Amino acid sequence: MPAPDDRWSAAGERRGGTVYTRPELLGPRQIRNARFAESRFGRRGLDPGEVRRFLARVAAEVADLQAEVTRVREESHRIKEAMRGWQSRHAARVNERGYR
């Protein structure tokens, strides 16, 4: 059985994608439905290398998502601060003109 995704190296590094595109991310369904080849040479269980590659991929994508959440939170904070500043400046101008 082929590896869960051949765009990942044995070290779990992403292959494929460019600066402008990125490989398709894992979805919950893909994680839940992941299937692994059985071990070779009469051993019982799953192929350890295949499982490690899949776990490395999941870990890399979770790390990417956590970094993205952090970036979005920082951007949201920056936008909120800019909006508060604009509102304060705008309110001060309105008050100078005597408007309510």
Side-chain angles (χ1 to χ4, degrees), residues 9-78:
S9 69
E13 297 169 343
R14 207 181 297 211
R15 287 189 272 160
T18 67
V19 173
Y20 304 105
T21 64
R22 56 197 252 193
E24 180 183 343
L25 296 177
L26 279 173
R29 183 180 303 154
Q30 289 172 300
I31 295 168
R32 276 197 264 345
N33 295 334
R35 299 291 176 256
F36 303 98
E38 292 183 12
S39 290
R40 296 180 293 272
F41 310 117
R43 293 176 52 200
R44 296 177 60 173
L46 302 175
D47 179 11
E50 194 173 329
V51 173
R52 278 193 299 275
R53 283 190 299 275
F54 184 76
L55 291 176
R57 177 181 176 189
V58 171
E61 289 191 18
V62 167
D64 289 348
L65 292 171
Q66 288 174 337
E68 180 71 8
V69 165
T70 299
R71 187 193 66 74
V72 168
R73 284 181 178 160
E74 289 170 354
E75 182 179 7
S76 174
H77 178 73
R78 183 185 57 76

Side-chain angles (χ1 to χ4, degrees), residues 79-95:
I79 291 169
K80 286 177 183 178
E81 289 298 315
M83 184 61 133
R84 285 184 190 112
W86 179 87
Q87 288 172 332
S88 296
R89 289 189 305 277
H90 183 68
R93 279 188 277 164
V94 168
N95 289 338

